């Protein structure tokens, strides 16, 4: 029997009712829908490239609804200092500051990977992203990858680095079939970098100030080009530090695009005094969601942009945004058997692919329906907040949401633009007024909330705040489009795709 896909309860009951718009889909189909990132798709993606990213939750926005990743924390040392990092915690290049992961040996890490691969078969990627820099710990990092590749050949291997030692290891990366590498590049101008990196430790010497930054910059560019030459997919992370590199990031974007980066992930600086970082202690603020979006927008259109990053822990396990690391602490996973089974995993992945096809069909119907609706000439772009627990569906009660997915909707499309964390409204079964105020502030620029259910009390407050309430269940883009067409069409409701449970 084919095991169910993730979120089996919701997804296995999903049915897609095809309406009369179905016939219009064929005409409206444009082809080349790659399922990758949400913005900036200047080039068509070929099938080979698509197959390299389609089950990687970071490299494909669509995949992050369905596939999980796990990190193993095997790399404690680091060779540079970033002003947003306190080395008591995980590497802040890919992690939320203030998080400490349990350090593992390569053997423990491989065992953990096999345990998780058995328990969470939709886990498709093993990443090493800390707690220090993986390439400042090359033996531990590569030994872990070797052990996993030998025993679990279907798991994609992924590596995240500050790039300082990358040129030395591209051959080894290629030989081990590590197909996805992230470099954190915050600047291409050392004068900007000087405000971010106080020192760099390179070939047994510590370089302070601009001398160190120049080395880091040169090595990052060299590493990026070497990855391109070796045909390894490279994502670049950039930490947006307002007042320091916000205006500079379009330049970074152009430089990495020129050198073959596949995806650009502009992440917000998270800085608080309690994290004990230089920026945190000196009052350097992070960007607001609006500031982050403005910089992301200024870079989109040039290359694919990642907007669904969740700044994971170095021992993260689960879907992005879902933290199952506590189910797999060292104490627990060392007692568990490694019940990795390739056939079971493959069957689960076939189920996920079938479900993704259904979602894709529903999106195409919605998009075709949109083309039949005449919207007012002044139809604006609006933001909507979506309560979702995965699968690409509106499938969560408002009261259970810990975050909203934000979509930008206009007459042409519904486009994912980011996540916003919120306080849990239902605490112990009771709605919290204070939490509701915070939630409304977080989404004050949104036109509507799309959720499976919203209780009468919060509904009243939401509507009083000028935000519309849409209760529905189904594919996010289809519901967002339906809402938009109803709100802004010159006629009444569209007959676009209907998705029912
Ligand atoms: Fe991990 Fe990074 Fe690989 Fe993804 S995370 S090593 S590319 S498998 Fe992903 Fe997490 Fe963002 Fe990183 S959401 S922090 S981008
Ligand atoms: Fe910290 Fe990572 Fe920067 Fe090293 S590379 S200083 S671990 S944020």
């Amino acid at each position: 029997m084919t095991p169910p896909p993730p979120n089996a309860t919701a997804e296995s009951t999903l049915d897609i009712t095809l309406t009369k718009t179905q016939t219009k889909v064929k005409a409206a189909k444009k082809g080349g829908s790659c399922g990758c990132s949400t913005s900036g798709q200047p080039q068509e993606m070929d099938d080979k490239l698509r197959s390299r990213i389609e089950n990687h939750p970071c490299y494909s926005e669509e995949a992050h609804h369905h596939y999980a990743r796990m990190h193993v924390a095997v790399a404690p040392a680091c060779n540079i200092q970033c002003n947003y990092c306190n080395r008591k915690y995980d590497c802040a290049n890919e992690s939320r500051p203030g998080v400490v992961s349990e350090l593992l040996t390569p053997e423990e890490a491989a065992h953990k990977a096999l345990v998780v691969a058995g328990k969470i078969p939709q886990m498709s990627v093993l990443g090493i992203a800390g707690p220090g820099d993986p390439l400042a710990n090359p033996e531990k990092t590569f030994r872990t990858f070797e052990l996993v590749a030998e025993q679990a050949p279907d798991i994609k291997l992924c590596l995240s680095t500050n790039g300082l030692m990358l040129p030395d290891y591209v051959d080894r990366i290629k030989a081990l079939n590590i197909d996805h590498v992230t470099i954190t590049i915050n600047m291409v101008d050392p004068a900007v970098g000087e405000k971010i990196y106080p020192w760099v430790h390179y070939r047994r010497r510590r370089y302070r100030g601009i001398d160190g930054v120049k080395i880091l910059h040169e090595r990052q560019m060299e590493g990026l080009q070497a990855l391109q030459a070796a045909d390894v997919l490279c994502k670049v992370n950039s930490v947006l530090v307002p007042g320091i590199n916000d205006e500079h990031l379009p330049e970074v974007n152009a430089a990495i695009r020129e050198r073959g980066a596949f995806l650009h992930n502009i992440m917000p600086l998270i800085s608080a005094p309690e994290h004990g970082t230089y920026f945190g202690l000196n009052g350097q603020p992070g960007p607001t969601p609006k500031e982050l979006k403005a910089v992301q927008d200024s870079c989109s259109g040039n290359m694919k942009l990642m907007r669904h990053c969740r700044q994971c822990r170095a021992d993260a396990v689960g879907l992005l945004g879902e933290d199952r690391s506590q189910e797999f602490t060292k104490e627990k996973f060392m007692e568990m058997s490694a019940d990795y089974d390739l056939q079971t995993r493959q069957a689960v992945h076939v189920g996920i692919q079938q479900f993704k096809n259904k979602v894709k069909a529903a999106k195409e119907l919605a998009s075709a329906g949109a083309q039949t609706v005449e919207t007012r000439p002044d139809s604006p772009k609006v933001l909507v907040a979506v309560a979702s627990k995965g699968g690409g569906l509106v499938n969560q009660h408002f009261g259970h949401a810990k975050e909203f997915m934000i979509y930008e909707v206009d007459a042409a499309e519904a486009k994912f633009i980011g996540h916003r964390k919120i306080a849990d409204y239902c605490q112990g079964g009771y709605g919290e007024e204070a939490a509701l105020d915070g939630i409304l502030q977080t989404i004050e620029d949104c036109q509507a909330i799309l959720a499976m259910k919203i209780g009468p009390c919060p509904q009243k407050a939401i509507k009083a705040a000028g935000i519309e309430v849409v209760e529905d269940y189904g594919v996010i883009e289809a519901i967002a489009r339906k809402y938009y067409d109803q709100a802004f069409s010159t006629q009444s409701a569209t007959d676009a795709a209907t998705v029912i449970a």
Side-chain angles (χ1 to χ4, degrees), residues 76-82 84-87 89-94 131-133 161-162 197:
C78 192
N79 43 18
I80 67 173
Q81 179 64 54
C82 306
Y84 46 74
C85 178
N86 173 354
R87 296 304 326 287
Y89 305 122
D90 288 359
C91 174
N93 278 331
E94 279 229 329
D133 183 72
T161 176
N162 59 39
Y197 306 103

Side-chain angles (χ1 to χ4, degrees), residues 165-177:
M165 297 314 294
L166 181 58
D168 294 10
Y169 293 110
V170 171
D171 290 347
R172 201 150 171 201
I173 285 169
K174 186 70 186 168
L176 264 169
N177 200 23

Side-chain angles (χ1 to χ4, degrees), residues 168-282:
D168 294 10
Y169 293 110
V170 171
D171 290 347
R172 201 150 171 201
I173 285 169
K174 186 70 186 168
L176 264 169
N177 200 23
I178 300 167
D179 199 31
H180 300 78
V181 172
T182 296
I183 317 175
T184 298
I185 301 180
N186 298 321
M187 53 83 209
V188 288
D189 176 355
V192 175
E194 220 183 341
K195 297 176 190 151
I196 301 173
Y197 306 103
W199 57 258
V200 164
H201 193 266
Y202 181 61
R203 305 226 189 274
R204 298 204 172 83
R205 221 185 118 187
R206 184 168 301 217
Y207 296 84
R208 295 195 177 274
I210 199 138
D211 293 341
V213 179
K214 279 182 182 162
I215 294 170
L216 180 65
H217 166 59
E218 280 160 21
R219 297 283 289 173
Q220 288 178 334
M221 295 298 114
E222 193 186 335
L224 179 53
Q225 280 170 311
L227 289 176
Q228 186 192 24
D231 191 28
V232 175
L233 288 181
C234 182
K235 168 166 78 64
V236 168
N237 285 354
S238 298
V239 179
L240 168 56
V241 189
I244 292 184
N245 68 353
D246 45 353
E247 291 178 3
H248 178 59
L249 285 180
E251 216 181 303
V252 173
N253 180 269
I256 61 167
R257 180 168 31 111
E258 219 177 279
R259 290 166 179 80
F262 174 76
L263 186 62
H264 196 186
N265 173 23
I266 299 177
M267 321 156 81
L269 169 75
I270 302 174
S271 91
E274 60 269 28
H275 299 146
T277 63
Y278 176 85
F279 282 152
L281 294 171
N282 286 283

Side-chain angles (χ1 to χ4, degrees), residues 119-174:
K119 299 236 178 298
I120 309 179
Q122 64 269 36
M123 187 278 284
S124 55
V125 178
L126 173 83
I128 300 184
D133 183 72
L135 296 182
N137 306 262
E139 294 319 320
K140 291 190 178 93
T141 295
F142 290 119
R143 181 68 191 139
T144 304
F145 282 139
E146 269 165 18
L147 289 170
V148 173
E150 277 163 18
Q151 299 168 80
D154 65 324
I155 296 178
K156 279 186 195 302
L157 305 178
C158 193
L159 169 74
S160 174
T161 176
N162 59 39
L164 182 66
M165 297 314 294
L166 181 58
D168 294 10
Y169 293 110
V170 171
D171 290 347
R172 201 150 171 201
I173 285 169
K174 186 70 186 168

Side-chain angles (χ1 to χ4, degrees), residues 4-84:
N7 299 316
T9 329
E11 296 191 1
S12 56
T13 57
L14 184 84
D15 186 18
I16 297 172
T17 303
L18 304 179
T19 69
K20 62 186 177 182
T21 37
Q22 188 179 25
T23 48
K24 294 169 193 156
V25 173
K26 289 194 180 101
K29 251 185 180 173
K30 293 188 192 79
S33 124
C34 67
C36 185
S37 183
T38 50
S39 61
Q41 306 217 3
Q43 74 264 42
E44 292 288 305
M45 189 173 303
D46 64 34
D47 287 346
K48 192 165 161 247
L49 189 51
R50 190 181 295 114
S51 75
R52 288 168 75 183
I53 63 154
E54 70 185 355
N55 68 351
H56 194 307
C58 304
Y59 281 67
S60 159
E61 194 261 313
E62 191 187 323
H64 99 279
H65 297 296
H66 311 282
Y67 294 98
R69 52 74 187 100
M70 71 175 290
H71 290 166
V72 283
V74 294
C78 192
N79 43 18
I80 67 173
Q81 179 64 54
C82 306
N83 278 335
Y84 46 74

